[in-house]
Amino acid sequence: MPAATAEDILDLFRRVGALLEGHFRLTSGLHSPGYLQCALVLQHPREAEACGLGIGDRVRGLAPTVVLSPALGGIVIGHEVARALGVRAIFAERQDGTLTLRRGFSLAAVDRVLVVEDVVTTGGSTRETIDVARAAGARVVGAAAIIDRSGGTQHLDVAFHALATVSLPTYQPDACPLCARGEPVVKPGSRV
Ligand SMILES: [Zn+2]
């Protein structure tokens, strides 16, 4: 399978309705010219596999030995990346508000961890997941996501790869340039 380009990935997202462009009122109440929902791509196993292969191609040189993802959004793509690399896939989940390894998942000093998420927005959950791996004594060799919507502001201290980058600014309704142009605002089908 040929490596997917960023444009291939964005076309896939548009085709399944995971990336809508227009004028949206998000669950937060903010307005945005775009709506992104990775789960709508990942619900299709073949597309999820293709994304995993694409990320796998980009990170293979980091020689990860385990993929660690934050629940829930990172689990499906983390599993597909791990499949592409032939390594373990584990996830961290919140317990009393703190991201934690549960279910008997463990990391050790010999592990080379790749942190994988569906989308990186501020980088906050990626950093938190990196901290989980380091606290367990493992080495974090990189991080990856299907979509980088951080606008380059994620500030991670490890190598970072994304299949595609999208710019999706958000606006307060009273400062929204799309509203100012009189464009009707719509609510996307599910939570952003
Ligand atoms: Zn607006």
Side-chain angles (χ1 to χ4, degrees):
M1 183 180 298
T5 65
E7 206 41 53
D8 292 338
I9 294 293
L10 294 178
D11 283 347
L12 164 63
F13 269 66
R14 291 187 186 105
R15 202 161 63 236
V16 303
L19 176 61
L20 305 177
E21 285 140 311
H23 182 195
F24 302 98
R25 183 187 302 115
L26 308 180
T27 307
S28 59
L30 298 175
H31 289 197
S32 178
Y35 166 75
L36 179 71
Q37 179 49 272
C38 288
L40 293 177
V41 167
L42 297 172
Q43 70 179 324
H44 302 290
R46 203 156 289 165
E47 314 299 6
E49 179 183 33
C51 291
L53 286 166
I55 292 175
D57 284 346
R58 285 166 173 77
V59 302
R60 193 161 279 115
L62 300 171
T65 61
V66 57
V67 169
L68 173 64
S69 298
L72 279 165
I75 292 179
V76 172
I77 186 61
H79 197 266
E80 291 298 337
V81 172
R83 187 206 305 275
L85 294 170
V87 302
R88 280 194 297 152
I90 65 175
F91 57 88
E93 58 201 300
R94 291 207 183 275
Q95 185 172 32
D96 302 325
T98 304
L99 208 57
T100 312
L101 290 179
R102 301 182 67 191
R103 304 170 194 270
F105 289 150
S106 64
L107 290 170
V110 295
D111 284 316
R112 296 172 58 85
V113 177
L114 177 74
V115 169
V116 173
E117 285 201 83
D118 53 354
V119 55
V120 167
T121 302
T122 63
S125 79
T126 306
R127 277 191 295 275
E128 205 179 342
T129 310
I130 289 171
D131 289 344
V132 168
R134 288 178 177 158
R139 175 171 171 202
V140 178
V141 295
I146 305 171
I147 303 285
D148 176 6
R149 60 172 296 183
S150 73
T153 60
Q154 76 274 12
H155 301 309
L156 301 175
D157 63 355
V158 296
F160 175 69
H161 295 271
L163 291 184
T165 298
V166 296
S167 173
L168 295 178
T170 54
Y171 307 108
Q172 295 292 339
D174 59 4
C176 175
L178 302 163
C179 285
R181 286 205 296 271
E183 294 180 20
V185 63
V186 301
K187 191 170 170 39
S190 63
R191 201 170 169 276
V192 173

